[in-house]
Amino acid sequence: MSCFDPSSTPPAGSKPVLLVAAVALVDADGRVLLAQRPPGKALAGLWEFPGGKVHADETPEAALVRELREELGIDTAASCLAPFTFASHGYESFHLLMPLYVCRVWEGDVAPLEGQTLAWVYPNRMGDYPMPPADVPLVAMLRDLL
Ligand SMILES: Nc1nc2c([nH]c(=O)n2[C@H]2C[C@H](O)[C@@H](COP(=O)(O)OP(=O)(O)OP(=O)(O)O)O2)c(=O)[nH]1
């Protein structure tokens, strides 16, 4: 199978690039935390890695430390976020650039502070949790890692 498809390369400047930082939180049993996107949002119902948009004045690591506190009530540090891989995916109105970190160390108990449904999932069961198209290649890489 060939990857060569010139039409898959969009012209420069056609869409804004959105930087979103995401993290695979891995617990002592090797399970990964997924969060279900709530109704009314884009990609509603799909399962995603915790994270969010990186603000203009932030590093991706600082954005994740902030998002984990806001969304899940846990504290971690940039030194506990190991860069793992990234997604680069064209959505209709923007191009998503999403570094994915792995984190095994945090303080506090994970709680769904924004009303989101959470699931701790063994890597070999992640296929049961439909995810956004950008995440699909990341799941296969996580399975190999864990
Ligand atoms: N956090 C996260 N976002 C993902 C993943 N996969 C994926 O395509 N995305 C997309 C969905 C959103 O378009 C964007 C994340 O931005 P966000 O979470 O800050 O924004 P949002 O759409 O929930 O809404 P808002 O904060 O603008 O209201 O990245 C993923 O695994 N984790």
Side-chain angles (χ1 to χ4, degrees), residues 29-104:
D29 292 334
R31 298 176 305 176
V32 176
L33 187 73
L34 297 181
Q36 194 172 29
R37 291 182 64 82
K41 279 198 168 188
L43 308 169
L46 299 182
W47 294 83
E48 67 178 10
F49 299 105
K53 296 183 192 86
V54 178
H55 297 170
D57 60 345
E58 281 181 323
T59 62
E61 292 82 1
L64 276 179
V65 170
R66 173 181 55 73
E67 293 276 0
L68 291 179
R69 191 174 300 136
E70 288 171 4
E71 292 178 3
L72 301 173
I74 58 171
D75 284 308
T76 191
S79 53
C80 298
L81 297 168
F84 176 55
T85 186
F86 68 94
S88 179
H89 183 84
Y91 284 117
E92 201 168 310
S93 59
F94 63 93
H95 189 95
L96 177 74
L97 184 60
M98 187 175 78
L100 179 70
Y101 294 77
V102 169
C103 177
R104 298 173 186 268

Side-chain angles (χ1 to χ4, degrees), residues 6 13 17 23 27 50 65 76 79 87 110 119 131:
V17 175
V23 61
D27 76 0
V65 170
T76 191
S79 53
V110 166
M131 297 183 78

